[in-house]
Amino acid sequence: MTQTAIFFLALGLSMDAFAVSLSNGFSVHCFGRKDALRQAVCFGGFQFLMPLLGWYLGSRIQEYLDAVDHWIAFGFLAVIGINMIAESISAKEPQEKELSFGILLMQAVATSIDAMAAGVSLAFLQVHILSAATVIGCISFVLSLLGSALGKCVGNKLQTKAELFGGVVLILMGLHILATHLLLY
């Protein structure tokens, strides 16, 4: 997997965090710079850790699944992407709320579950996981900050479009992995 492909994978995985950051920036009462930074660290941190966990789990079972690994990677990315697109279509208006640590933690875990599944896929593709996870975490951090700022300025009109874009990117990445494997073998 090329660095460009990892970048686009990270971008797709980060769209959930971006969308939630956008929503929080819009809907959380008195959302400020400290909240934006705390949110970005939490989202970026989980987006860094979850692919590592997924890679570890995936690498333990890789030898048993070599013949179908490309289908598994495609399946994970397609399901995640379709789920993100479905969520973007059925998104509800956020209501005013407070951003407690518990809520932030739940949001960070929820937005990074797909990164864990991607980590499983990356184990099958024999990607250097530490550099890939770092890229994913850093892009999530930056997009969380950006989403917070945009949320304060623009509101949540972009929230569903960000999730839709992220879902499309993940599906395209899955198709790329599948096509590359099938054309090379």
Side-chain angles (χ1 to χ4, degrees):
M1 183 175 258
T2 66
Q3 288 294 73
T4 303
I6 290 172
F7 172 79
F8 281 110
L9 174 64
L11 190 63
L13 290 172
S14 299
M15 285 298 120
D16 274 353
F18 175 78
V20 171
S21 297
L22 186 69
S23 176
N24 286 344
F26 175 75
S27 64
V28 172
H29 183 66
C30 297
F31 190 86
R33 289 181 181 161
K34 185 177 178 181
D35 295 314
L37 184 60
R38 184 171 59 122
Q39 176 176 264
V41 167
C42 200
F43 286 2
F46 271 86
Q47 290 279 8
F48 169 76
L49 292 174
M50 293 298 256
L52 295 174
L53 178 60
W55 180 87
Y56 176 77
L57 295 173
S59 64
R60 299 292 148 228
I61 61 173
Q62 179 182 4
E63 64 187 70
Y64 305 108
L65 300 173
D66 272 342
V68 294
D69 60 356
H70 52 286
W71 288 103
I72 293 171
F74 166 73
F76 273 129
L77 293 173
V79 167
I80 294 164
I82 290 168
N83 185 46
M84 286 175 67
I85 291 169
E87 286 177 9
S88 75
I89 292 169
S90 66
K92 298 177 182 173
E93 294 290 321
Q95 297 178 358
E96 191 170 299
K97 57 185 175 184
E98 298 293 327
L99 189 60
S100 69
F101 180 73
I103 290 172
L104 185 59
L105 189 62
M106 285 189 302
Q107 288 176 339
V109 170
T111 59
S112 63
I113 293 294
D114 53 354
M116 184 174 75
V120 172
S121 300
L122 294 174
F124 297 144
L125 300 172
Q126 299 178 348
V127 170
H128 186 269
I129 190 59
L130 192 56
S131 64
T134 300
V135 170
I136 293 167
C138 288
I139 289 176
S140 294
F141 176 86
V142 169
L143 287 180
S144 292
L145 285 177
L146 180 62
S148 298
L150 284 175
K152 287 303 280 183
C153 295
V154 179
N156 77 342
K157 293 182 182 184
L158 298 177
Q159 178 183 1
T160 57
K161 290 182 174 123
E163 278 189 313
L164 179 67
F165 176 73
V168 169
V169 167
L170 290 179
I171 291 170
L172 290 174
M173 287 300 304
L175 287 171
H176 172 73
I177 290 167
L178 186 61
T180 301
H181 185 83
L182 293 177
L183 294 174
L184 291 176
Y185 295 100

